[in-house]
Amino acid sequence: VTTAALSDAGLHRDAEWYLAESLFKMGNLDTAQARYQVISDDMQHPFRDDAVRGLLELYASSGRTSDFYALYEQEILRGRVRPSDLI
């Protein structure tokens, strides 16, 4: 992802998403958060909504309630991202 070896924008964005998801599932929360943040900051990213939901799940599972509620208010309550059943 960081070397831009996947020059096709679609493949690069897929790789960003799979990297973030893999890091989260492996328990590497700090790096997963950073990767989710990169995706969620890009309003045109096809996985942006998923990244926001991933950040919310990460914050909830790690007890970061203030971060959870700040992001929840910014993205979910304002209607920018639809919540999942889990959220």
Side-chain angles (χ1 to χ4, degrees):
V1 171
T2 58
T3 63
L6 301 171
S7 59
D8 177 86
L11 292 176
H12 182 79
R13 288 178 164 189
D14 286 350
E16 285 179 321
W17 171 247
Y18 292 125
L19 175 60
E21 276 289 278
S22 297
L23 289 164
F24 180 64
K25 289 179 180 175
M26 290 174 19
N28 191 338
L29 301 183
D30 291 337
T31 309
Q33 177 190 346
R35 300 314 308 171
Y36 280 141
Q37 194 66 54
V38 166
I39 296 168
S40 69
D41 287 345
D42 181 354
M43 296 300 284
Q44 303 304 313
H45 201 290
F47 293 101
R48 182 184 182 281
D49 290 1
D50 295 316
V52 169
R53 288 188 287 266
L55 279 170
L56 289 168
E57 185 178 349
L58 186 150
Y59 294 152
S61 66
S62 60
R64 296 173 56 185
T65 55
S66 62
D67 291 328
F68 177 91
Y69 285 117
L71 186 60
Y72 184 83
E73 182 179 318
Q74 177 184 346
E75 297 290 343
I76 304 296
L77 292 181
R78 293 183 182 173
R80 293 169 60 174
V81 173
R82 295 184 69 189
S84 66
D85 291 339
L86 179 62
I87 295 169

